[in-house]
Amino acid sequence: MTNKGIRIFANVIRTALIGATAAVTLAACMRTPEEKAEIAARRAAPTAVVMGPTKGGVPAEGGLAHYPDGYPSFGAPLTAANVQMNDEQAADLQRKLSALGAQRKAGTISEAEYQRRVEEYRKLAAEHGPETLSEITK
């Protein structure tokens, strides 16, 4: 066989191998609708599980899943540590803060009174965490 014939033969073999590799790769990427739905379900964000306050008692349902050998599994969705602020409480707090800002802007409240209230809110924010933690651990 001549050099030209060997080159043609090598090019044909190379093209055939590239085509076969592409076909196998594309065939592996093809998924049925059921497989696609299963993959999408696995990738979906877990739903939040909110537990009510226990007032120091043992929760009815543990927050962590455990393996059969007793070690905790951190793969399960975690639960909330405490009851969250509801919409009415958030709206009430927002009204109070907006009213305080409006009073300051209008000049109906002195700067000293404004600073006293700001300090009161900051103190509440600093102490709220430890107080709530002590209630939870009782």
Side-chain angles (χ1 to χ4, degrees), residues 74-103:
F74 297 102
L78 299 176
T79 58
N82 200 358
V83 178
Q84 302 298 310
M85 178 187 297
N86 63 27
D87 291 337
E88 293 85 26
Q89 291 171 328
D92 183 45
L93 184 58
Q94 185 174 4
R95 277 193 298 277
K96 286 180 183 177
L97 294 175
S98 296
L100 181 61
Q103 288 175 347

Side-chain angles (χ1 to χ4, degrees), residues 99-111 113-114 117:
L100 181 61
Q103 288 175 347
R104 180 182 189 204
K105 190 173 185 180
T108 58
I109 188 173
S110 68
E111 184 65 26
E113 177 65 17
Y114 175 80
R117 288 190 186 176

Side-chain angles (χ1 to χ4, degrees), residues 102-136:
Q103 288 175 347
R104 180 182 189 204
K105 190 173 185 180
T108 58
I109 188 173
S110 68
E111 184 65 26
E113 177 65 17
Y114 175 80
Q115 291 300 331
R116 185 192 67 75
R117 288 190 186 176
V118 167
E119 185 60 35
E120 179 183 330
Y121 289 135
R122 287 185 178 153
K123 182 180 176 188
L124 175 66
E127 294 175 355
H128 178 70
E131 286 176 4
T132 304
L133 184 60
S134 68
E135 288 177 15
I136 292 171

Side-chain angles (χ1 to χ4, degrees), residues 41 44-50 76-80:
T47 57
V49 178
V50 179
L78 299 176
T79 58

Side-chain angles (χ1 to χ4, degrees), residues 15-97:
T15 305
L17 286 175
I18 291 172
T21 304
V24 169
T25 303
L26 290 175
C29 292
M30 303 291 281
R31 292 195 170 94
T32 65
E34 293 82 18
E35 290 173 328
K36 288 179 182 179
E38 181 184 338
I39 291 170
R42 281 192 308 233
R43 289 184 180 171
T47 57
V49 178
V50 179
M51 296 174 62
T54 60
K55 299 290 184 192
V58 178
E61 186 177 305
L64 291 176
H66 288 79
Y67 290 111
D69 59 3
Y71 287 98
S73 166
F74 297 102
L78 299 176
T79 58
N82 200 358
V83 178
Q84 302 298 310
M85 178 187 297
N86 63 27
D87 291 337
E88 293 85 26
Q89 291 171 328
D92 183 45
L93 184 58
Q94 185 174 4
R95 277 193 298 277
K96 286 180 183 177
L97 294 175

